[in-house]
Amino acid sequence: MDLGLLVILGGSAALSLGGGWVCISRWSRIRHLQDTPTSRIRSAAQGYVELVGILRPLGDVPLIAPLSGEPCLWWRYRIEEYRSNGKRSSWSVVERGVSDGWLRLADATGECLIDPRGAEVRPAFRRVWSGSLRHPRGMPLRGLLGIGRRYRYCEERLHADEPLYAIGDFRTTGGGRQGLDLATARKQVISEWKGEYAGLLQRFDSNGDGQLDEAEWRRVRLAAGLEAEERHRHASTGPAQHRLARPTERLPFVLSSHGEEVLARRYRWQALGGALMCLAGALLLSAKLA
């Protein structure tokens, strides 16, 4: 079997497997989106939930998008350089970035803070333009301006008062809704106390020998348990704080300016494209092996 045929067979197999993976993953996302009912923030259950609301500013100072300099709540950008090498030319990514500041989502019942790290973010605002500077707001960030160079910029943003669809892991602290895992909380308190070991000895080293024996450690654990319970009581009396973040399990974490139906339609087209890729790769592989 010659090298060319091996390359074709390998490419066909990769095309088929890749298309199959795209198809399955996109249909899985559709299922999770459609099977998860929309919840109100105040009454949402703990765990994987779907929320719909309006983005509100978090603090008095807005984020500034790095390419356009426009105020926003979240941004993502990409800078590409046009490169030509003989008969081949293409756009190559030379810089990219994404903000990781928290977002604040509000509905008629309450507010929820969102940690966007790890999310698939699909904003409605997307701008693409070109220029001759490495960075469009001024001189290039790295290196000097190259004569005759061409750059393409892409910037996506989320803004205040825009609608947002969000699906991810929802957790509430305070408001009497958080249960106490005493063993874990006690370990956390002891770990904090160990960070100031001199203070720990001063409080619990009864015989003054510079170390804690078993009886003294029992007192440490008892005091740490009482401290953990007191912290929990104090936290429970405060207002409830809701947070949405990336699920620990392999579940979709999506933030979108578009609603569920728009997202589901996009995923269907992507799943169809993956199925066609899988079929094309399988047919090509069968034809070469026949």
Side-chain angles (χ1 to χ4, degrees), residues 105-147:
L105 181 70
D107 67 10
T109 66
E111 296 181 346
C112 177
L113 296 179
I114 301 176
D115 182 355
R117 292 176 297 178
E120 177 185 344
V121 185
R122 292 181 171 272
F125 181 90
R126 182 176 186 270
R127 181 188 174 196
V128 179
W129 72 106
S130 59
S132 58
L133 292 176
R134 168 67 177 265
H135 199 277
R137 294 183 62 200
M139 290 301 293
L141 293 179
R142 292 187 292 272
L144 299 176
L145 176 63
I147 303 300

Side-chain angles (χ1 to χ4, degrees), residues 14-285:
L15 181 66
S16 182
L17 291 174
W21 180 85
V22 170
C23 181
I24 293 172
S25 65
R26 293 304 181 266
W27 275 114
S28 176
R29 286 176 179 268
I30 294 171
R31 180 176 61 82
H32 282 108
L33 264 61
Q34 295 184 337
D35 290 351
T36 305
T38 302
S39 301
R40 293 289 190 175
I41 292 175
R42 181 180 297 173
S43 58
Q46 304 298 287
Y48 194 65
V49 302
E50 175 182 284
L51 303 174
V52 176
I54 301 296
L55 282 172
R56 300 300 187 196
L58 184 61
D60 298 329
V61 181
L63 286 178
I64 299 299
L67 300 188
S68 64
E70 295 293 329
C72 61
L73 301 182
W74 177 93
W75 50 258
R76 179 170 57 206
Y77 77 91
R78 183 178 69 250
I79 300 176
E80 299 171 294
E81 182 182 0
Y82 186 76
R83 295 175 179 174
S84 179
N85 183 13
K87 296 182 178 180
R88 300 182 61 183
S89 59
S90 63
W91 290 98
S92 299
V93 177
V94 294
E95 187 179 329
R96 66 170 78 230
V98 59
S99 65
D100 58 4
W102 287 57
L103 302 169
R104 183 162 69 105
L105 181 70
D107 67 10
T109 66
E111 296 181 346
C112 177
L113 296 179
I114 301 176
D115 182 355
R117 292 176 297 178
E120 177 185 344
V121 185
R122 292 181 171 272
F125 181 90
R126 182 176 186 270
R127 181 188 174 196
V128 179
W129 72 106
S130 59
S132 58
L133 292 176
R134 168 67 177 265
H135 199 277
R137 294 183 62 200
M139 290 301 293
L141 293 179
R142 292 187 292 272
L144 299 176
L145 176 63
I147 303 300
R149 290 192 174 183
R150 294 170 55 193
Y151 294 95
R152 184 168 64 186
Y153 321 107
C154 176
E155 185 174 86
E156 299 170 286
R157 303 197 300 260
L158 293 174
H159 301 96
D161 301 323
E162 285 185 345
L164 186 76
Y165 169 92
I167 185 169
D169 186 64
F170 181 85
R171 299 294 169 185
T172 300
T173 57
R177 294 185 59 177
Q178 186 180 22
L180 174 64
D181 183 346
L182 182 58
T184 301
R186 182 171 55 224
K187 288 181 181 178
Q188 182 177 353
V189 173
I190 293 175
S191 178
E192 293 176 8
W193 288 353
K194 283 182 177 179
E196 295 290 339
Y197 196 70
L200 187 65
L201 286 175
Q202 185 177 2
R203 290 179 60 187
F204 298 102
D205 183 15
S206 302
N207 56 18
D209 62 353
Q211 57 185 358
L212 298 176
D213 57 29
E214 182 58 34
E216 290 164 342
W217 272 115
R218 283 198 296 269
R219 291 177 53 219
V220 171
R221 288 190 286 270
L222 176 61
L226 295 173
E227 174 70 15
E229 291 176 347
E230 178 61 26
R231 291 183 183 182
H232 179 259
R233 281 194 294 269
H234 184 267
S236 297
T237 59
Q241 294 184 342
H242 309 291
R243 290 180 173 86
L244 191 78
R246 182 178 184 177
T248 54
E249 302 177 5
R250 299 184 64 179
L251 296 170
F253 179 30
V254 183
L255 307 176
S256 175
S257 300
H258 309 285
E260 178 183 314
E261 289 304 319
V262 175
L263 284 172
R265 185 161 56 247
R266 289 184 178 180
Y267 288 145
R268 288 191 192 98
W269 281 110
Q270 292 173 2
L272 178 59
L276 293 176
M277 287 171 55
C278 181
L279 180 60
L283 290 176
L284 183 57
L285 188 63

